Amino acid sequence: MAVDKQERAKPAGGPGKANIYDVARRAGVSHMTVSRVLNGHPSIRESTRAKVLLAIEEMNYTRSSIARALATRKAMRIGALVDGRLQFGPNSTLRALEGAARAHGYAVSAFSIGDDEGQRIDEGIVELVTQGVDALCVIAPRISSLDVLRRHATGLPTLAVKEERDEQLHTVAVNQRAGATAATRHLIELGHREIVHLAGPLDWYDARARAEAWRDTMKAGGLAVPTPSVGDWSADSGYEFGKSFVPGDVTAVFASNDQMALGMIHAFWERGIRVPDDISVVGFDDLPDARHFLPPLTTVRQEFAALGELIIDELVQTLQGNQSQGRRLVEPQLVCRSSTSSPRR
């Protein structure tokens, strides 16, 4: 049956609702090919370019991100390289970035790197740049991943979600030091004097910042600073720590994330070590389930929605030629629940 030209021109999802994938389907190409056409990629055949441009015209896409891309020669897309794809913090940051990007007319292409896939960082950078993204964002970066990134001259505005200033990169982050300081100070104010820290992997900027803030707060309080133990962010590593932990004079533990705190509390329960009667526990992140731990967990809440807004605002301002506002931080919030109390011995 013949299709009326006016009918063919309707974008999928209603007037003005078509996206890059709709255009790709109409043209019979991949969405990556559409992005490359929009960015004037030299490897696109003229016949393919013509098909894509015709599809855009047929779909009456004048108010869409594709139309803006054609006018600005931009793809209206942010590339996100995500370290530690299984962790709560990186995934929450990515979701927040996607939501903020949509509100500004941008889409997000993500490439995730697992803890055992460091060699794929190069692959991720190449794939995102090849898609014709306008800017790059590195979420939850490890020191090693940024070292790889700095070796690539992409020519794109690039932002790293980390607290420290960086001469080469834009930076936006939750104030990790403030959160860890609040957690440690909370324990000190409750009367704890022997406080140990279960750190995350110290190649991660966030884990390092939290460990340094715990140490500095202990020193500022005139307290001894024991060598921190190091986990891998998982509840299993917290559980292993809890199984081998020797309380002695220690009355509190600050875990670098809630999942390790969960595993630790599990091991303490099996050993008959009561939380918080025998030992107080503080986590970091405020997982959605943290208030349902037994006992409900005292932790540090990261405001991921605000973080996503700051990331996209910084990148959009840069893409529009405006001056960077420098290092920008989101303040965390200490959430006090039942896993902490004054020491009882």
Side-chain angles (χ1 to χ4, degrees):
M1 182 176 66
V3 179
D4 182 80
K5 182 176 181 181
Q6 184 177 0
E7 181 68 24
R8 287 192 296 114
K10 290 181 180 179
K17 296 292 181 65
N19 57 41
I20 195 170
Y21 298 96
D22 298 321
V23 173
R25 282 192 291 271
R26 175 63 61 85
V29 299
S30 71
H31 71 278
M32 291 176 61
T33 298
V34 176
S35 289
R36 290 172 183 146
V37 168
L38 295 173
N39 282 272
H41 200 286
S43 67
I44 300 296
R45 291 183 296 184
E46 284 305 315
S47 59
T48 301
R49 191 185 312 277
K51 283 197 301 184
V52 171
L53 294 176
L54 178 61
I56 292 169
E57 180 182 354
E58 286 181 340
M59 299 185 80
N60 192 24
Y61 214 44
T62 55
R63 293 194 174 190
S64 68
S65 59
I66 292 286
R68 290 196 300 275
L70 283 171
T72 62
R73 306 302 296 171
K74 294 185 181 298
M76 304 300 291
R77 184 168 290 272
I78 305 297
L81 184 67
V82 189
D83 251 343
R85 62 188 176 193
L86 300 180
Q87 306 304 329
F88 173 75
N91 275 326
S92 297
T93 303
L94 176 61
R95 290 196 300 269
L97 173 60
E98 289 171 337
R102 282 195 299 270
H104 286 78
Y106 281 80
V108 174
S109 292
F111 189 98
S112 297
I113 307 295
D115 290 337
D116 58 346
E117 298 177 314
Q119 72 276 8
R120 298 191 67 210
I121 295 171
D122 283 288
E123 179 185 339
I125 295 169
V126 171
E127 179 169 318
L128 291 174
V129 172
T130 301
Q131 290 185 35
V133 297
D134 302 320
L136 289 173
C137 174
V138 188
I139 295 175
R142 287 173 276 188
I143 295 169
S144 55
S145 63
L146 287 194
D147 287 344
V148 173
L149 178 63
R150 289 188 178 97
R151 295 199 294 268
H152 288 265
T154 65
L156 297 173
T158 302
L159 181 148
V161 182
K162 71 184 186 80
E163 187 174 336
E164 294 86 352
R165 295 183 185 276
D166 196 298
E167 293 182 359
Q168 296 177 259
L169 306 169
H170 300 271
T171 56
V172 168
V174 172
N175 192 334
Q176 303 294 322
R177 293 173 189 273
T181 297
T184 309
R185 187 175 292 152
H186 168 67
L187 293 170
I188 293 173
E189 289 174 349
L190 285 173
H192 296 278
R193 295 296 176 264
E194 299 286 342
I195 305 167
V196 300
H197 180 47
L198 175 58
L202 295 179
D203 186 41
W204 291 62
Y205 284 98
D206 286 354
R208 183 169 295 192
R210 295 170 196 176
E212 290 176 351
W214 160 79
R215 182 192 63 218
D216 293 345
T217 306
M218 294 286 285
K219 286 183 177 179
L223 304 178
V225 182
T227 301
S229 297
V230 179
D232 64 5
W233 296 128
S234 71
D236 285 345
S237 68
Y239 179 78
E240 291 302 318
F241 170 85
K243 278 181 31 177
S244 60
F245 176 70
V246 180
D249 294 327
V250 175
T251 59
V253 181
F254 166 39
S256 195
N257 77 339
D258 289 353
Q259 288 171 304
M260 292 194 296
L262 173 62
M264 183 191 312
I265 291 171
H266 179 193
F268 287 163
W269 176 80
E270 288 185 341
R271 296 176 60 193
I273 299 173
R274 299 166 300 169
V275 178
D277 293 13
D278 300 322
I279 194 159
S280 288
V281 176
V282 180
F284 203 109
D285 278 338
D286 195 23
L287 290 172
D289 296 334
R291 63 183 179 274
H292 299 299
F293 287 12
L294 291 176
L297 184 66
T298 295
T299 185
V300 176
R301 177 179 298 157
Q302 302 199 72
E303 301 292 346
F304 291 109
L307 178 61
E309 288 289 345
L310 273 190
I311 293 170
I312 197 65
D313 182 68
E314 178 71 14
L315 289 174
V316 169
Q317 291 294 328
T318 302
L319 289 167
Q320 292 175 349
N322 298 323
Q323 186 174 2
S324 170
Q325 299 184 37
R327 185 181 69 154
R328 305 171 70 180
L329 298 176
V330 175
E331 293 305 314
Q333 177 187 355
L334 179 69
V335 180
C336 296
R337 298 192 180 102
S338 305
S339 67
T340 53
S341 68
S342 298
R344 301 179 188 180
R345 56 184 175 86

